[in-house]
Amino acid sequence: MASRISPAELGVMAARWAIREGATEAEIYIHVFRGYSADIRTNKIETVAAIEDVGVGIRVAVGKKTGFSYTTGMDAQRVREAVKRAVKQARAAPEDKWWQGFPEPSKSYPEPGGMFSVAVARAGPKTVLEHAREMLDKASSIKDLVLARGSVSVYTLERAVVNTNGVYRVDVGTAALVTAGVTMRKDGLITPMIYDMDMSRVAIPESDAVVERAAETAKQCTTLYRGLQTGKYTVVLSPKVFAELMEETVLYSLRGDIYVRGRSYYGNRLGEQALSEKITIVDDGAMRGGDATWRFDGEGVATARKVLVEKGVVRGFVFDSYWGRRAGQESTGNASRDGYASRPHPGYTNVVVEPGDAASEELLDGRVLVVHQVQGAHTTNPDTGEYSVLANPAIYYENGEPKGWVPGIVLSGNFYKEIASNVEALSKTVEKAYPGMYMPWIRLNGITVAVKS
């Protein structure tokens, strides 16, 4: 039956089954992910394989009691059994006094464009294999370089959301992702693994360019600099590092569920200057060609562009329907799902920190540490902003000239305070830090740096 019924039609059937089982409301989310991937390990193509992830998530309400279940695949009988489990769970659950039902359809939905490519949808194993070989060719042309890890993947994702309040939405998108992890071995020195990536919704990124960018950073690590002492330094964070620290602190505190629970660092700062005036943060689920662009979120609510921080002033939080209603607001179109196996929760789409006006030579003026990657960002305390991360690699510059890689550096501090008071400049350009995160380079002063003796 799975081959003869569309995801949306199955969603309608499952919603009806839920009502027959005794649910007062039902919501069905269907996720059909299919594609191909080529993986590289240590200068060799290791696998070329099909990738598939198909499943159905069922959320129901019995009065003010809710339940959730899911099943893999689209077999009607298994979906019906999952519906029964969800209803049974709801009946046994305690009442949620805040429950106000599933959302109704949005008045209008965006048409952002740049989400689907026939060429990417039709790309098969030969295509990803060709691009993986291009990565290997580029790596072999660069002296002393090892392409330790790499991948090329293409996929199509179809999403359907149906609920008993009238939501009936289907969206189909494509994407292609290229990743590379390289090291360089020179004169007995082995550099840290340098990672780079690129992603597009409508074309396969230039795979050799991803390798080349990673190699350029690795080359800077083939010279060591031993003259740095522990102390306070001006630091320039790459877009990737900036994104990781933002995600663990600022973006955590701009989530609606964290705000309602009273855990947000910015909970009592709405409308106030809480970050540097150089910082403007936008969440844009309708950005043309964005990595996380869709016409609707995980509950079928229209996506939109939201300014969360404007020149340092906190303007708002991201909400799904449940947490929005608890805050006395509407959903912002930010119901996120970790696939079909999770309930929706407030999350982000395409996050953009708007660029500044600093050229690269301004960012590198004076004595500066440029941090390309960190380890341990996930250990940051999201409530207080305190962090301690290994900078790997960090390159020391003097007046724009790289002096070498400083191994064993640890950065520590309080990112909430530093993003408010220590920002000197943002780059003129915004780069893709990783899928869905668009960041400039950022220059911060007075950062605590511990150097391994």
Side-chain angles (χ1 to χ4, degrees):
M1 189 169 188
S3 62
R4 298 195 300 270
I5 190 169
S6 73
E9 290 171 332
L10 180 59
V12 171
M13 291 170 58
R16 289 173 178 167
W17 292 334
I19 298 301
R20 290 172 188 168
E21 290 293 328
T24 51
E25 293 179 277
E27 173 193 81
I28 315 299
Y29 174 82
I30 303 179
H31 169 113
V32 181
F33 175 98
R34 293 190 174 100
Y36 295 92
S37 179
D39 292 318
I40 296 169
R41 293 290 183 274
T42 319
N43 290 337
K44 292 182 180 180
I45 296 172
E46 187 175 72
T47 60
V48 178
I51 48 179
E52 180 175 291
D53 188 23
V54 180
V56 182
I58 299 109
R59 193 165 55 136
V60 303
V62 177
K64 286 185 172 292
K65 301 189 289 184
T66 64
F68 176 81
S69 186
Y70 71 92
T71 185
T72 56
M74 287 177 52
D75 177 76
Q77 184 57 40
R78 292 173 68 179
V79 172
R80 193 159 195 166
E81 291 170 358
V83 166
K84 291 179 180 179
R85 291 196 300 271
V87 175
K88 182 178 180 181
Q89 184 187 100
R91 285 197 175 112
E95 283 198 353
D96 182 350
K97 67 178 182 178
W98 301 105
W99 180 254
Q100 297 181 50
F102 296 120
E104 295 183 350
S106 299
K107 293 179 180 179
S108 63
Y109 289 85
E111 293 294 337
M115 296 167 49
F116 182 85
S117 162
V118 172
V120 174
R122 290 178 176 174
K126 289 183 179 179
T127 302
V128 296
L129 181 59
E130 288 171 4
H131 284 268
R133 285 173 175 160
E134 288 179 8
M135 295 179 74
L136 291 173
D137 289 344
K138 173 54 70 174
S140 66
S141 72
I142 301 173
K143 187 180 179 182
D144 302 319
L145 190 73
V146 176
L147 181 55
R149 294 186 179 183
S151 68
V152 180
S153 57
V154 295
Y155 63 84
T156 300
L157 174 60
E158 181 174 2
R159 305 158 68 242
V161 180
V162 176
N163 75 24
T164 51
N165 290 337
V167 169
Y168 181 96
R169 304 302 301 177
V170 181
D171 221 349
V172 182
T174 55
L177 175 67
V178 176
T179 68
V182 307
T183 61
M184 198 165 274
R185 300 175 182 178
K186 185 177 180 181
D187 300 328
L189 174 68
I190 301 176
T191 71
M193 181 90 76
I194 307 298
Y195 293 95
D196 210 317
M197 57 74 61
D198 199 2
M199 180 175 175
S200 171
R201 298 294 295 273
V202 296
I204 300 176
E206 295 183 13
S207 49
D208 55 350
V210 175
V211 174
E212 194 164 14
R213 286 197 304 270
E216 285 301 314
T217 303
K219 285 179 184 177
Q220 293 184 325
C221 299
T222 58
T223 300
L224 291 178
Y225 183 80
R226 297 290 191 184
L228 210 67
Q229 302 296 317
T230 294
K232 298 277 190 179
Y233 286 87
T234 297
V235 170
V236 173
L237 304 181
S238 72
K240 179 163 52 179
V241 175
F242 186 20
E244 288 186 65
L245 291 174
M246 287 284 284
E247 195 166 18
E248 299 297 335
T249 55
V250 175
L251 296 181
Y252 166 87
S253 281
L254 293 175
R255 277 174 34 197
D257 54 334
I258 302 303
Y259 167 69
V260 172
R261 286 171 168 154
R263 295 183 60 183
S264 170
Y265 189 82
Y266 305 120
N268 60 353
R269 304 295 302 275
L270 190 63
E272 297 182 9
Q273 184 93 35
L275 295 85
S276 164
E277 64 180 9
K278 297 181 184 296
I279 302 294
T280 294
I281 305 172
V282 174
D283 178 88
D284 190 356
M287 181 171 73
R288 180 177 176 82
D291 296 336
T293 293
W294 295 96
R295 294 178 179 88
F296 56 89
D297 69 0
E299 294 180 302
V301 175
T303 55
R305 183 180 188 274
K306 291 85 57 184
V307 177
L308 304 177
V309 175
E310 183 179 22
K311 295 182 178 180
V313 177
V314 178
R315 296 298 186 193
F317 302 85
V318 296
F319 292 104
D320 62 4
S321 61
Y322 176 81
W323 290 101
R325 287 165 176 166
R326 284 194 59 168
Q329 301 184 36
E330 295 182 350
S331 168
T332 57
N334 285 86
S336 179
R337 290 182 186 257
D338 305 319
Y340 55 84
S342 82
R343 297 180 187 232
H345 54 83
Y348 292 92
T349 58
N350 301 295
V351 176
V352 182
V353 173
E354 295 192 351
D357 57 7
S360 58
E361 56 268 22
E362 294 175 88
L363 292 175
L364 299 175
D365 184 52
R367 301 172 68 234
V368 178
L369 268 174
V370 177
V371 180
H372 290 273
Q373 298 175 166
V374 295
Q375 295 172 316
H378 66 284
T379 65
T380 300
N381 186 321
D383 297 319
T384 67
E386 294 173 348
Y387 68 92
S388 178
V389 294
L390 176 66
N392 195 26
I395 310 297
Y396 178 62
Y397 282 74
E398 286 186 0
N399 298 317
E401 293 296 324
K403 298 299 181 180
W405 167 38
V406 186
I409 277 184
V410 174
L411 307 181
S412 61
N414 185 303
F415 199 71
Y416 285 126
K417 294 179 180 178
E418 291 162 1
I419 202 68
S421 304
N422 297 60
V423 179
E424 287 191 355
L426 301 176
S427 65
K428 292 180 178 180
T429 58
V430 168
E431 299 177 18
K432 190 177 296 187
Y434 43 84
M437 299 289 282
Y438 302 82
M439 302 278 159
W441 295 73
I442 184 170
R443 177 175 166 127
L444 302 164
N445 61 41
I447 303 302
T448 300
V449 175
V451 182
K452 184 178 180 180
S453 57

